[in-house]
Coordinates of all heavy atoms in Angstrom, one line a residue:
M6 N 110.2 123.5 109.7 CA 110.7 123.9 108.3 C 111.8 123.0 107.8 O 112.0 122.8 106.6 CB 111.2 125.4 108.4 CG 112.4 125.5 109.3 SD 112.9 127.3 109.3 CE 114.4 127.1 110.3
A7 N 112.6 122.5 108.8 CA 113.7 121.6 108.3 C 113.4 120.1 108.3 O 114.2 119.3 108.2 CB 114.9 121.9 109.2
W8 N 112.1 119.9 108.4 CA 111.7 118.4 108.6 C 112.0 117.6 107.4 O 112.2 116.4 107.5 CB 110.3 118.3 109.0 CG 109.3 118.7 107.9 CD1 108.9 120.0 107.6 CD2 108.7 117.8 107.0 NE1 108.1 119.9 106.5 CE2 107.9 118.6 106.1 CE3 108.7 116.4 106.8 CZ2 107.2 118.0 105.1 CZ3 108.0 115.9 105.8 CH2 107.2 116.6 105.0
D9 N 112.0 118.3 106.2 CA 112.2 117.5 105.0 C 113.6 117.6 104.4 O 113.8 117.4 103.3 CB 111.2 117.9 103.9 CG 111.3 119.3 103.5 OD1 112.0 120.1 104.2 OD2 110.7 119.7 102.5
E10 N 114.5 117.9 105.3 CA 115.9 117.9 104.9 C 116.2 116.5 104.3 O 115.6 115.5 104.7 CB 116.9 118.2 106.0 CG 116.8 117.2 107.2 CD 117.5 117.7 108.4 OE1 116.9 118.4 109.2 OE2 118.7 117.4 108.6
S11 N 117.2 116.4 103.5 CA 117.4 115.2 102.7 C 117.5 113.9 103.4 O 118.5 113.6 104.0 CB 118.7 115.5 101.9 OG 119.0 114.4 101.1
F12 N 116.5 113.1 103.4 CA 116.5 111.8 103.9 C 116.3 110.8 102.8 O 115.6 111.1 101.8 CB 115.3 111.5 104.9 CG 115.4 112.3 106.2 CD1 114.7 113.4 106.5 CD2 116.4 111.8 107.1 CE1 114.9 114.0 107.7 CE2 116.5 112.5 108.4 CZ 115.8 113.6 108.6
S13 N 116.9 109.7 102.9 CA 116.7 108.6 102.0 C 116.4 107.3 102.7 O 116.7 107.1 103.8 CB 117.9 108.4 101.0 OG 119.0 108.1 101.8
C14 N 115.6 106.5 102.0 CA 115.1 105.3 102.6 C 116.3 104.4 102.8 O 117.1 104.2 101.9 CB 114.1 104.6 101.6 SG 113.6 103.0 102.2
D15 N 116.4 103.8 104.0 CA 117.5 102.9 104.4 C 117.4 101.6 103.7 O 118.3 100.7 103.8 CB 117.6 102.8 105.9 CG 118.2 104.1 106.5 OD1 119.2 104.5 106.0 OD2 117.6 104.6 107.4
I16 N 116.3 101.3 103.1 CA 116.1 100.0 102.4 C 116.3 100.1 100.9 O 117.1 99.4 100.3 CB 114.7 99.4 102.7 CG1 114.5 99.3 104.2 CG2 114.5 98.0 102.0 CD1 115.5 98.4 104.9
C17 N 115.5 101.0 100.2 CA 115.6 101.2 98.8 C 116.3 102.4 98.3 O 116.4 102.6 97.1 CB 114.2 101.1 98.3 SG 113.2 102.6 98.5
R18 N 116.7 103.3 99.2 CA 117.5 104.4 98.9 C 116.8 105.5 98.2 O 117.4 106.5 97.7 CB 118.8 104.1 98.0 CG 119.7 103.1 98.7 CD 120.3 103.7 100.0 NE 120.9 102.7 100.7 CZ 121.2 102.8 102.1 NH1 120.9 103.9 102.6 NH2 121.8 101.9 102.7
T19 N 115.5 105.4 98.1 CA 114.7 106.5 97.4 C 114.8 107.7 98.3 O 115.0 107.6 99.5 CB 113.3 106.1 97.2 OG1 112.7 107.0 96.3 CG2 112.5 106.0 98.5
T20 N 114.6 108.9 97.7 CA 114.7 110.2 98.5 C 113.3 110.5 99.0 O 112.3 110.5 98.3 CB 115.3 111.3 97.6 OG1 116.6 110.9 97.2 CG2 115.5 112.6 98.4
K21 N 113.3 111.0 100.2 CA 112.0 111.4 100.8 C 111.5 112.7 100.2 O 112.3 113.7 100.1 CB 112.2 111.6 102.3 CG 110.9 111.8 103.0 CD 111.0 112.0 104.5 CE 109.7 112.0 105.2 NZ 108.7 112.9 104.6
L22 N 110.2 112.7 99.9 CA 109.6 113.9 99.4 C 108.6 114.4 100.5 O 108.2 113.6 101.4 CB 108.8 113.7 98.1 CG 109.6 113.1 97.0 CD1 108.7 112.8 95.8 CD2 110.7 114.1 96.5
A23 N 108.3 115.6 100.4 CA 107.5 116.2 101.5 C 106.1 115.5 101.7 O 105.6 115.5 102.8 CB 107.3 117.7 101.2
T24 N 105.6 115.0 100.6 CA 104.3 114.4 100.7 C 104.3 112.9 101.1 O 103.3 112.3 101.3 CB 103.6 114.5 99.3 OG1 104.5 113.9 98.3 CG2 103.3 115.9 98.9
N25 N 105.5 112.3 101.2 CA 105.6 111.0 101.5 C 105.2 110.7 103.0 O 105.6 111.5 103.8 CB 107.0 110.4 101.3 CG 107.3 110.4 99.7 OD1 108.5 110.5 99.4 ND2 106.3 110.4 98.9
H26 N 104.6 109.6 103.2 CA 104.4 109.2 104.6 C 105.3 108.1 105.0 O 105.1 106.9 104.6 CB 102.9 108.7 104.8 CG 101.9 109.8 104.5 ND1 101.7 110.8 105.3 CD2 101.1 109.9 103.4 CE1 100.8 111.6 104.8 NE2 100.5 111.1 103.6
W27 N 106.3 108.5 105.6 CA 107.4 107.5 106.0 C 107.3 107.1 107.4 O 106.5 107.6 108.2 CB 108.7 108.2 105.7 CG 109.2 108.3 104.3 CD1 108.4 108.5 103.2 CD2 110.5 108.2 103.8 NE1 109.1 108.6 102.1 CE2 110.4 108.3 102.4 CE3 111.8 108.0 104.4 CZ2 111.5 108.3 101.6 CZ3 112.8 107.9 103.5 CH2 112.8 108.0 102.2
W28 N 108.1 106.1 107.6 CA 108.2 105.5 109.0 C 109.6 105.4 109.5 O 110.5 105.5 108.7 CB 107.6 104.0 108.9 CG 106.1 104.0 108.6 CD1 105.6 104.2 107.3 CD2 105.1 103.8 109.5 NE1 104.2 104.1 107.4 CE2 103.9 103.9 108.7 CE3 105.0 103.6 110.8 CZ2 102.6 103.7 109.3 CZ3 103.7 103.4 111.4 CH2 102.6 103.5 110.6
L29 N 109.7 105.3 110.8 CA 111.0 105.2 111.4 C 111.1 103.8 112.1 O 110.1 103.3 112.6 CB 111.2 106.2 112.5 CG 111.1 107.7 112.0 CD1 111.2 108.6 113.2 CD2 112.3 108.0 111.1
V30 N 112.3 103.2 112.0 CA 112.5 101.9 112.6 C 113.7 102.1 113.6 O 114.7 102.7 113.2 CB 112.8 100.8 111.6 CG1 113.3 99.6 112.2 CG2 111.6 100.6 110.7
T31 N 113.5 101.6 114.8 CA 114.7 101.6 115.7 C 114.8 100.1 116.2 O 113.9 99.4 116.4 CB 114.4 102.5 116.9 OG1 113.3 102.1 117.6 CG2 114.3 104.0 116.4
L32 N 116.1 99.8 116.3 CA 116.4 98.5 116.9 C 117.0 98.8 118.3 O 117.9 99.7 118.4 CB 117.5 97.7 116.1 CG 117.0 97.5 114.6 CD1 118.2 96.7 113.9 CD2 115.8 96.7 114.5
G33 N 116.6 98.0 119.3 CA 117.2 98.3 120.6 C 117.4 97.0 121.4 O 116.9 96.0 121.0
D34 N 118.3 97.2 122.3 CA 118.6 96.1 123.2 C 117.5 96.0 124.3 O 117.1 97.0 124.9 CB 120.0 96.3 123.9 CG 121.0 96.2 122.8 OD1 120.9 95.4 121.8 OD2 122.0 97.0 122.9
V35 N 117.1 94.8 124.6 CA 116.2 94.6 125.7 C 116.8 93.5 126.6 O 117.6 92.7 126.1 CB 114.8 94.2 125.2 CG1 114.1 95.4 124.5 CG2 114.8 93.0 124.4
L36 N 116.3 93.4 127.8 CA 116.7 92.3 128.6 C 116.2 91.0 128.0 O 115.1 90.9 127.6 CB 116.1 92.5 130.1 CG 116.7 93.7 130.8 CD1 115.9 93.9 132.1 CD2 118.1 93.5 131.1
C37 N 117.0 90.1 128.1 CA 116.6 88.7 127.6 C 115.6 88.1 128.5 O 115.6 88.2 129.7 CB 117.8 87.8 127.5 SG 119.0 88.3 126.4
F38 N 114.6 87.5 127.8 CA 113.6 86.7 128.6 C 114.2 85.4 129.0 O 113.9 84.9 130.1 CB 112.3 86.5 127.8 CG 111.6 87.8 127.5 CD1 111.7 88.4 126.2 CD2 111.0 88.5 128.5 CE1 111.0 89.5 126.0 CE2 110.3 89.7 128.2 CZ 110.3 90.3 127.0
E39 N 114.9 84.9 128.1 CA 115.6 83.6 128.4 C 117.0 83.7 127.8 O 117.2 84.3 126.8 CB 114.9 82.4 127.7 CG 113.5 82.1 128.3 CD 112.8 81.0 127.4 OE1 113.5 80.1 126.9 OE2 111.6 81.1 127.2
E40 N 117.9 82.9 128.3 CA 119.2 82.8 127.7 C 119.1 82.3 126.3 O 118.4 81.5 126.0 CB 120.1 81.9 128.6 CG 120.7 82.6 129.7 CD 121.8 81.8 130.5 OE1 122.6 81.2 129.8 OE2 121.7 81.7 131.7
G41 N 120.0 82.9 125.5 CA 120.0 82.5 124.1 C 119.0 83.2 123.2 O 119.1 83.1 122.0
Q42 N 118.2 84.0 123.7 CA 117.3 84.8 122.9 C 118.0 86.1 122.4 O 118.8 86.6 123.2 CB 116.0 85.2 123.7 CG 115.1 84.0 124.2 CD 114.6 83.3 122.9 OE1 114.0 83.8 122.1 NE2 114.9 82.0 122.8
P43 N 117.7 86.5 121.2 CA 118.3 87.7 120.8 C 117.9 88.9 121.6 O 116.7 89.0 122.0 CB 117.7 87.9 119.3 CG 117.1 86.5 119.0 CD 116.8 85.9 120.3
A44 N 118.8 89.7 122.0 CA 118.6 90.8 122.9 C 118.2 92.0 122.2 O 118.7 93.1 122.4 CB 119.8 91.0 123.9
R45 N 117.3 91.9 121.2 CA 117.0 93.1 120.5 C 115.5 93.2 120.2 O 114.8 92.1 120.1 CB 117.7 93.1 119.2 CG 119.1 92.9 119.3 CD 119.9 93.3 118.1 NE 120.5 94.6 118.4 CZ 121.2 95.4 117.5 NH1 121.3 94.9 116.3 NH2 121.7 96.5 117.8
H46 N 115.0 94.3 119.9 CA 113.6 94.5 119.5 C 113.5 95.4 118.3 O 114.4 96.2 118.0 CB 112.7 95.0 120.6 CG 113.0 96.3 121.1 ND1 112.2 97.0 122.0 CD2 114.0 97.2 120.9 CE1 112.8 98.2 122.3 NE2 113.8 98.3 121.6
F47 N 112.5 95.2 117.5 CA 112.2 96.1 116.3 C 111.0 96.9 116.6 O 109.9 96.5 116.9 CB 111.9 95.0 115.2 CG 111.7 95.6 113.8 CD1 112.6 95.6 112.9 CD2 110.4 96.2 113.6 CE1 112.3 96.2 111.6 CE2 110.1 96.7 112.3 CZ 111.1 96.7 111.3
T48 N 111.2 98.2 116.4 CA 110.2 99.2 116.7 C 109.9 100.0 115.4 O 110.8 100.6 114.8 CB 110.5 100.1 117.8 OG1 110.9 99.3 119.0 CG2 109.4 101.0 118.2
L49 N 108.6 100.0 115.1 CA 108.2 100.8 113.9 C 107.3 101.9 114.4 O 106.3 101.7 115.0 CB 107.4 99.8 112.9 CG 106.9 100.5 111.7 CD1 108.1 100.9 110.7 CD2 106.0 99.5 110.9
V50 N 107.6 103.1 114.1 CA 106.9 104.2 114.5 C 106.6 105.2 113.3 O 107.5 105.3 112.4 CB 107.5 105.1 115.6 CG1 107.6 104.2 116.9 CG2 108.8 105.6 115.3
P51 N 105.5 105.9 113.3 CA 105.2 106.9 112.2 C 106.3 107.9 112.2 O 106.9 108.2 113.2 CB 103.9 107.5 112.6 CG 103.2 106.5 113.4 CD 104.4 105.8 114.2
W52 N 106.6 108.5 111.0 CA 107.6 109.5 110.9 C 107.5 110.6 111.9 O 106.3 111.1 112.2 CB 107.5 110.1 109.5 CG 108.7 111.0 109.2 CD1 108.7 112.4 109.3 CD2 110.0 110.7 108.7 NE1 109.9 112.9 109.0 CE2 110.7 111.9 108.6 CE3 110.5 109.4 108.3 CZ2 112.0 111.9 108.1 CZ3 111.9 109.4 107.9 CH2 112.6 110.6 107.7
D53 N 108.6 111.0 112.5 CA 108.6 112.0 113.5 C 109.8 112.9 113.2 O 110.9 112.4 113.1 CB 108.7 111.5 114.9 CG 108.7 112.6 115.9 OD1 107.7 113.0 116.4 OD2 109.9 113.0 116.3
A54 N 109.5 114.2 112.9 CA 110.6 115.1 112.5 C 111.8 115.2 113.4 O 112.9 115.2 113.0 CB 110.0 116.5 112.2
G55 N 111.5 115.2 114.7 CA 112.5 115.2 115.7 C 113.3 113.9 115.7 O 114.5 113.9 115.7
A56 N 112.6 112.8 115.9 CA 113.2 111.5 116.0 C 114.0 111.1 114.8 O 114.9 110.3 114.9 CB 112.2 110.5 116.4
S57 N 113.6 111.6 113.7 CA 114.2 111.2 112.4 C 115.7 111.5 112.3 O 116.4 110.9 111.5 CB 113.5 111.8 111.2 OG 113.7 113.2 111.2
R58 N 116.1 112.4 113.1 CA 117.6 112.8 113.1 C 118.4 112.0 114.1 O 119.6 112.2 114.2 CB 117.7 114.3 113.3 CG 117.2 115.1 112.1 CD 117.5 116.6 112.3 NE 116.5 117.4 111.6 CZ 115.4 117.8 112.2 NH1 115.3 117.6 113.5 NH2 114.5 118.5 111.5
N59 N 117.7 111.3 114.9 CA 118.5 110.6 116.0 C 119.4 109.6 115.4 O 119.1 108.9 114.4 CB 117.5 109.9 116.9 CG 116.8 110.9 117.8 OD1 117.1 112.1 117.8 ND2 115.8 110.4 118.5
E60 N 120.5 109.4 116.0 CA 121.5 108.3 115.7 C 120.8 107.0 115.8 O 120.1 106.7 116.7 CB 122.6 108.4 116.7 CG 123.9 107.6 116.3 CD 124.8 108.5 115.5 OE1 124.6 109.7 115.3 OE2 125.8 107.9 115.0
G61 N 121.1 106.1 114.8 CA 120.5 104.7 115.0 C 119.1 104.6 114.5 O 118.6 103.5 114.6
V62 N 118.5 105.6 114.0 CA 117.1 105.5 113.5 C 117.2 105.2 112.1 O 117.9 105.9 111.3 CB 116.3 106.8 113.8 CG1 115.0 106.8 113.0 CG2 116.1 107.0 115.3
F63 N 116.4 104.2 111.6 CA 116.3 103.9 110.2 C 115.1 104.5 109.6 O 114.1 104.6 110.2 CB 116.3 102.4 110.0 CG 117.6 101.7 110.5 CD1 117.7 101.2 111.8 CD2 118.6 101.5 109.6 CE1 118.9 100.7 112.2 CE2 119.8 100.8 110.0 CZ 119.9 100.4 111.4
H64 N 115.2 105.0 108.4 CA 114.2 105.6 107.7 C 113.6 104.7 106.6 O 114.4 104.2 105.8 CB 114.6 106.9 107.1 CG 115.5 107.7 108.0 ND1 116.8 107.7 108.0 CD2 115.1 108.6 109.0 CE1 117.3 108.5 109.0 NE2 116.3 109.0 109.6
V65 N 112.3 104.4 106.6 CA 111.8 103.6 105.6 C 110.6 104.3 104.9 O 109.8 105.1 105.6 CB 111.3 102.2 106.1 CG1 112.5 101.4 106.6 CG2 110.3 102.4 107.3
C66 N 110.4 104.1 103.6 CA 109.6 104.9 102.8 C 108.1 104.4 102.7 O 107.3 105.1 102.2 CB 110.2 105.1 101.4 SG 110.2 103.5 100.5
G67 N 107.8 103.3 103.3 CA 106.5 102.9 103.3 C 106.3 101.4 103.7 O 107.3 100.8 104.2
E68 N 105.1 100.9 103.5 CA 104.8 99.5 103.9 C 105.8 98.5 103.4 O 106.3 97.6 104.1 CB 103.5 99.1 103.4 CG 102.4 99.3 104.4 CD 101.0 98.9 103.8 OE1 101.0 97.9 103.1 OE2 100.0 99.7 103.9
S69 N 106.0 98.6 102.1 CA 106.9 97.6 101.4 C 108.3 97.6 102.0 O 108.8 96.5 102.3 CB 107.0 98.0 99.9 OG 108.0 97.3 99.3
C70 N 108.9 98.8 102.3 CA 110.2 98.8 102.8 C 110.2 98.4 104.3 O 111.2 97.9 104.9 CB 110.9 100.1 102.5 SG 111.5 100.2 100.8
A71 N 109.1 98.8 105.0 CA 109.0 98.4 106.4 C 109.0 96.9 106.5 O 109.6 96.3 107.4 CB 107.8 99.0 107.0
T72 N 108.3 96.3 105.6 CA 108.3 94.8 105.6 C 109.6 94.2 105.3 O 110.1 93.3 106.0 CB 107.3 94.3 104.5 OG1 106.0 94.9 104.8 CG2 107.2 92.8 104.5
K73 N 110.4 94.8 104.3 CA 111.7 94.3 104.1 C 112.6 94.5 105.2 O 113.5 93.7 105.5 CB 112.3 95.0 102.9 CG 111.8 94.6 101.6 CD 112.4 95.3 100.4 CE 111.6 95.0 99.1 NZ 111.3 96.3 98.4
A74 N 112.5 95.6 105.9 CA 113.3 95.9 107.1 C 113.0 94.9 108.2 O 114.0 94.4 108.8 CB 113.0 97.3 107.6
L75 N 111.8 94.5 108.4 CA 111.4 93.5 109.3 C 112.0 92.1 108.9 O 112.5 91.4 109.8 CB 109.9 93.4 109.5 CG 109.4 92.4 110.5 CD1 109.9 92.7 111.9 CD2 107.9 92.3 110.5
E76 N 111.9 91.9 107.7 CA 112.5 90.6 107.2 C 114.0 90.5 107.4 O 114.6 89.5 107.9 CB 112.2 90.4 105.7 CG 110.8 90.0 105.4 CD 110.5 90.1 103.9 OE1 111.4 90.5 103.1 OE2 109.3 89.8 103.5
R77 N 114.7 91.6 107.2 CA 116.1 91.7 107.5 C 116.4 91.5 108.9 O 117.3 90.8 109.3 CB 116.7 93.0 107.0 CG 116.8 93.2 105.5 CD 117.6 94.4 105.2 NE 117.5 94.7 103.7 CZ 118.2 95.7 103.2 NH1 118.9 96.5 103.9 NH2 118.1 95.9 101.9
F78 N 115.6 92.2 109.7 CA 115.8 92.1 111.2 C 115.6 90.6 111.6 O 116.4 90.1 112.4 CB 114.8 93.0 111.9 CG 114.8 92.8 113.4 CD1 115.9 93.2 114.2 CD2 113.7 92.3 114.0 CE1 115.9 93.0 115.5 CE2 113.7 92.1 115.4 CZ 114.8 92.5 116.1
M79 N 114.6 90.0 111.1 CA 114.3 88.6 111.5 C 115.3 87.6 111.1 O 115.6 86.6 111.7 CB 112.9 88.2 111.1 CG 111.8 89.0 111.7 SD 110.2 88.7 111.0 CE 109.8 87.1 111.7
S80 N 115.9 87.9 109.9 CA 116.9 86.9 109.4 C 118.3 87.2 109.9 O 119.2 86.3 110.0 CB 116.8 86.9 107.9 OG 117.2 88.1 107.4
S81 N 118.6 88.5 110.1 CA 120.0 88.8 110.5 C 120.2 89.6 111.8 O 121.3 89.8 112.2 CB 120.7 89.6 109.3 OG 120.1 90.9 109.3
G82 N 119.1 90.1 112.3 CA 119.2 91.0 113.5 C 119.7 92.4 113.2 O 120.0 93.2 114.1
S83 N 119.8 92.7 111.9 CA 120.3 94.0 111.4 C 119.5 94.4 110.2 O 118.8 93.7 109.6 CB 121.8 93.9 111.1 OG 122.2 95.0 110.4
L84 N 119.5 95.7 110.0 CA 118.8 96.2 108.8 C 119.8 96.5 107.7 O 119.5 96.8 106.5 CB 118.1 97.6 109.1 CG 116.9 97.5 110.1 CD1 116.1 98.7 110.0 CD2 116.1 96.3 109.9
T85 N 121.1 96.2 108.0 CA 122.1 96.5 107.0 C 122.9 95.3 106.7 O 124.1 95.2 106.7 CB 123.1 97.7 107.5 OG1 123.6 97.2 108.8 CG2 122.4 99.0 107.6
Q86 N 122.2 94.2 106.4 CA 122.9 92.9 106.3 C 123.9 92.8 105.2 O 124.9 92.1 105.3 CB 121.8 91.8 106.2 CG 120.9 92.0 104.9 CD 119.9 90.9 104.8 OE1 119.8 90.0 105.7 NE2 119.0 90.9 103.8
E87 N 123.6 93.5 104.1 CA 124.5 93.4 103.0 C 126.0 93.9 103.4 O 126.9 93.3 103.0 CB 124.1 94.3 101.8 CG 122.7 94.0 101.3 CD 121.7 94.9 101.9 OE1 121.9 95.4 103.0 OE2 120.7 95.1 101.3
V88 N 125.9 94.9 104.2 CA 127.2 95.5 104.6 C 127.9 94.7 105.7 O 129.0 94.3 105.6 CB 127.0 97.0 105.0 CG1 128.4 97.6 105.3 CG2 126.4 97.8 103.9
S89 N 127.1 94.5 106.7 CA 127.7 94.0 108.0 C 128.0 92.5 108.0 O 128.9 92.1 108.7 CB 126.8 94.4 109.2 OG 125.6 93.8 109.1
R90 N 127.2 91.8 107.2 CA 127.4 90.3 107.3 C 128.3 89.8 106.2 O 128.8 88.7 106.3 CB 126.0 89.7 107.0 CG 125.0 90.0 108.1 CD 125.3 89.3 109.4 NE 124.8 90.1 110.5 CZ 124.7 89.7 111.8 NH1 125.1 88.5 112.1 NH2 124.3 90.5 112.7
A91 N 128.6 90.6 105.2 CA 129.4 90.1 104.1 C 130.8 89.7 104.6 O 131.4 88.7 104.2 CB 129.5 91.1 103.0
S92 N 131.4 90.6 105.4 CA 132.8 90.4 105.8 C 132.9 89.3 106.9 O 134.0 88.8 107.2 CB 133.4 91.6 106.3 OG 132.6 92.2 107.3
A93 N 131.8 88.9 107.5 CA 131.9 88.0 108.6 C 131.9 86.6 108.3 O 132.1 85.7 109.1 CB 130.6 88.3 109.5
R94 N 131.8 86.3 107.0 CA 131.8 84.9 106.6 C 133.0 84.4 105.9 O 132.9 83.7 104.9 CB 130.5 84.5 106.0 CG 130.3 84.9 104.5 CD 129.1 84.2 103.9 NE 127.9 84.9 103.9 CZ 127.2 85.2 102.9 NH1 127.6 84.7 101.7 NH2 126.1 85.9 102.9
V95 N 134.1 84.8 106.3 CA 135.4 84.4 105.7 C 135.8 83.1 106.3 O 135.7 83.0 107.5 CB 136.5 85.5 105.8 CG1 137.8 84.9 105.2 CG2 136.1 86.8 105.2
Ligands
ZN27 ZN1 112.1 102.4 100.6

């Protein structure tokens, strides 16, 4: 019953509606295969009511935003590049 509590897309900020088919993205640390490789992975899973409330889970509203999330991850290693990277280049 509480599965559609107010979620918004972490990419485009649209609000989730009950009929939307959303996805969850998690970034995690993995053991490096080789030195110098990014120690992270990008996981895309169908919306899950339980997992959607977990800390560190990103909510994406569909294919388009999932693709953008992947692009951000590939270019910056993060899904929140606007926020986290802006201050790092002083
Ligand atoms: Zn979106």
